[in-house]
Amino acid sequence: MKKLLIANRGEIALRILRTARELGLKTVVVHSEADAESLPVLLADEAICIGPASPAQSYLNIPNILSAAIVSGADAIHPGYGFLAENAAFAEMVRDHGITFVGPTPENMRLLGDKATARRIAREAGVPVVPGTDELKSVEEAKEAARAIGYPVILKASAGGGGRGMRLVHTEEDLERAVLQAQEEARAAFGNPAVYIEKYIEEPKHVEVQVLGDGQKVLHLYERDCSIQRRHQKLLEEAPSLLPREVRDGLLKSAVRLAEHVGYVSAGTLEFLVDREGNYYFIEMNTRIQVEHPVTEMVTGLDLIRLQLEVAAGEPLRMSQEDIELKGHAIEVRVNAEDPDKDFRPSIGQIETLLWPGGPGVRVDSHLYQGYAIPPHYDSLLAKIIAWDTDRERTIRRLRRALSETALEGKGLKTTIPFHKKVLDNAFFRRGAVYTNFVARRMSG
Ligand code: ADP
């Protein structure tokens, strides 16, 4: 591997570029017209414009991205997260052009990308899933299943993701309409109308396991708790979780077993819900690097992008499970261009004042710079601020300190930083009483 094309934008493009450079790889960053002045573009060895601002015409434009790889002579493509990262057809086309795709195989993605299929595979591997159904074939089947499971139930799109395509149903009267609406929404949003049912778990924790495979073996890099969410979108993530030891051990073993079952290659994340009794249930696998990977890097000291690149280059994982040690505690907050006082409405602007925090145990992953105009076409993530310290209490204090010295301002720009300060000050959060409804129950008003 000599030249890496980065098929993404924003903070993750910069994150990948940094590791690629440390490994001595040349970098090609592809970008939309709206991102011509972005930091990854300015820092890349080569930058190629692949289309207009709209993602469909640029970051999702497979022919243009492949052409850019061929023209620049790139021998590998890293897709980052979002956009084409979990698109098996893209991974296959990259491979068919003799270019290395930095990620799982198209076969891995096909098995695990569809959420209903992934549930089936988890059951095969002996991993517990939330009580529920396969893809629904009729409303009658939905009614019978929901009766057997007990209300409330949640309807989910098989092809769903990013917290979209989910619908809570409390009673049988609402079910028929909900199924039809969910199918219609799934068709419109994901091009696939398939939906399935899961039991709605009350006040669960969202805990996910980071795995890494090389085709021969699968290792875990422990877990992250991502329970602090809003509308099923993660806002703050931490590692390790606060689960009792037996629950945690079971979860880690289950995750490795499931990834081994499909011969998983590269970095991936298995997501679980954990109920109040400590029962855990697999919900889905993300076959890519995730936004929250830095917390795992902080507690393990490993560079996940480097490991992805090494595995993609055909190198076997040289470490064993015992070599991967977890030290201390890390917490990440997502700084989004959203107004927490106005129901997290997206906010845009030009960065006028920018001062990042520093000091021991503080990391900032961000593509922002003074004068940068935030384009309105993409997701609202501006930065991730991550703190590490020897235990959770100290990490909270360190992150609180880091946020208090951060200055990120621009005309009309609102960010989620004030919200995160409130979370870190919240007594329930400090006690570790986190679950996915935390923001709605403990942070409103
Ligand atoms: P997506 O792929 O859209 O991210 P997930 O299946 O990963 O969807 O679920 C996202 C979030 O939705 C979870 O972290 C949790 O907060 C909530 N959720 C999903 N399934 C259930 C369930 N069966 N019961 C309760 N909450 C759920």
Side-chain angles (χ1 to χ4, degrees):
M1 199 184 287
K2 289 200 171 62
K3 200 179 215 184
L4 179 70
L5 183 141
I6 300 169
N8 214 296
R9 63 175 303 282
E11 67 87 20
I12 193 66
L14 185 58
R15 167 73 192 87
I16 297 163
L17 185 136
R18 285 175 166 151
T19 290
R21 195 153 275 169
E22 287 169 15
L23 293 175
L25 301 175
K26 288 273 171 248
T27 52
V28 183
V29 170
V30 294
H31 65 90
S32 71
E33 285 167 8
D35 278 333
E37 297 298 321
S38 75
L39 197 52
V41 168
L42 300 177
L43 293 181
D45 296 303
E46 284 171 56
I48 301 178
C49 182
I50 46 166
S54 126
Q57 292 176 281
S58 49
Y59 297 104
L60 294 169
N61 186 334
I62 294 177
N64 284 10
I65 293 170
L66 282 176
S67 307
I70 293 163
V71 169
S72 63
D75 54 3
I77 297 184
H78 196 310
Y81 54 67
F83 298 126
L84 296 169
E86 293 180 279
N87 185 318
F90 175 63
E92 197 156 47
M93 275 185 250
V94 171
R95 185 168 73 182
D96 290 347
H97 281 77
I99 298 169
T100 302
F101 180 80
V102 184
T105 64
E107 294 74 21
N108 288 161
M109 287 191 210
R110 288 206 172 97
L111 281 174
L112 298 161
D114 181 276
K115 292 164 66 157
T117 314
R119 276 170 61 84
R120 209 154 48 229
I121 290 169
R123 287 204 305 271
E124 263 173 47
V127 172
V129 299
V130 185
T133 66
D134 287 332
E135 280 174 14
L136 290 173
K137 283 171 209 77
S138 67
V139 173
E140 261 332 290
E141 186 195 346
K143 283 188 182 161
E144 262 170 54
R147 238 175 263 154
I149 300 165
Y151 287 89
V153 296
I154 191 162
L155 285 169
K156 288 189 172 183
S158 302
R164 293 177 310 148
M166 273 180 275
R167 194 173 272 262
L168 185 58
V169 186
H170 289 277
T171 62
E172 181 157 327
E173 289 94 81
D174 297 335
L175 188 64
E176 174 158 2
R177 212 174 58 167
V179 170
L180 298 175
Q181 281 176 347
Q183 287 172 331
E184 200 35 57
E185 276 170 19
R187 189 202 314 276
F190 313 109
N192 174 0
V195 297
Y196 61 100
I197 290 185
E198 272 181 8
K199 178 161 185 60
Y200 180 71
I201 315 269
E202 303 278 352
E203 301 197 348
K205 288 182 189 292
H206 173 118
V207 182
E208 56 186 37
V209 181
Q210 176 71 56
V211 296
L212 188 65
D214 63 2
Q216 300 300 317
K217 65 176 175 196
V218 173
L219 303 173
H220 72 75
L221 278 69
Y222 303 93
E223 81 286 11
R224 300 182 280 259
D225 185 307
C226 311
S227 299
I228 302 294
Q229 312 178 339
R230 187 187 156 270
R231 299 211 176 127
H232 308 309
Q233 305 252 30
K234 298 164 189 168
L235 291 168
L236 175 153
E237 303 95 353
E238 58 185 309
S241 69
L242 302 170
L243 293 174
R245 175 145 202 167
E246 337 66 82
V247 179
R248 203 171 157 224
D249 287 349
L251 198 74
L252 297 175
K253 278 205 191 83
S254 288
V256 169
R257 196 179 328 136
L258 176 45
E260 273 173 349
H261 188 74
V262 296
Y264 193 75
V265 180
S266 195
T269 299
L270 296 104
E271 299 192 328
F272 294 85
L273 294 180
V274 184
D275 71 15
R276 282 178 289 201
E277 284 78 49
N279 301 304
Y280 63 86
Y281 308 97
F282 169 78
I283 49 172
E284 67 160 341
M285 179 159 185
N286 288 320
T287 56
R288 55 174 165 82
I289 194 75
Q290 278 186 294
V291 175
E292 59 272 27
H293 77 275
V295 291
T296 298
E297 295 186 323
M298 298 288 267
V299 293
T300 60
L302 296 169
D303 178 335
L304 272 160
I305 304 289
R306 184 167 77 205
L307 290 163
Q308 278 193 306
L309 290 167
E310 286 171 356
V311 166
E315 291 175 36
L317 289 168
R318 278 182 290 265
M319 56 199 170
S320 65
Q321 191 63 61
E322 294 71 52
D323 298 330
I324 307 175
E325 258 184 90
L326 188 150
K327 282 210 189 95
H329 199 95
I331 305 181
E332 167 183 286
V333 292
R334 297 191 188 196
V335 178
N336 294 336
E338 290 168 2
D339 185 351
D341 290 333
K342 300 238 165 70
D343 203 25
F344 291 80
R345 189 193 300 160
S347 140
I348 46 165
Q350 183 160 12
I351 311 292
E352 287 165 354
T353 307
L354 182 60
L355 181 71
W356 291 128
V362 174
R363 164 173 167 179
V364 178
D365 278 23
S366 176
H367 56 295
L368 299 190
Y369 58 83
Q370 201 132 352
Y372 176 72
I374 302 162
H377 319 277
Y378 310 107
D379 79 18
S380 58
L381 185 67
L382 297 180
K384 308 183 302 205
I385 302 180
I386 309 111
W388 178 93
D389 207 329
T390 47
D391 61 37
R392 187 172 188 265
E393 180 56 38
R394 287 190 174 137
T395 303
I396 292 173
R397 270 188 267 154
R398 181 167 272 177
L399 185 54
R400 187 67 182 79
R401 184 272 293 168
L403 293 186
S404 71
E405 68 191 51
T406 304
L408 172 49
E409 287 151 28
K411 204 175 278 145
L413 178 65
K414 296 275 190 251
T415 78
T416 46
I417 291 176
F419 168 84
H420 288 305
K421 288 180 180 166
K422 282 190 211 153
V423 174
L424 295 172
D425 290 341
N426 183 287
F428 293 96
F429 176 77
R430 294 187 90 110
R431 229 185 285 149
V434 294
Y435 50 93
T436 60
N437 323 72
F438 179 91
V439 173
R441 303 243 164 102
R442 302 275 183 222
M443 298 291 299
S444 50

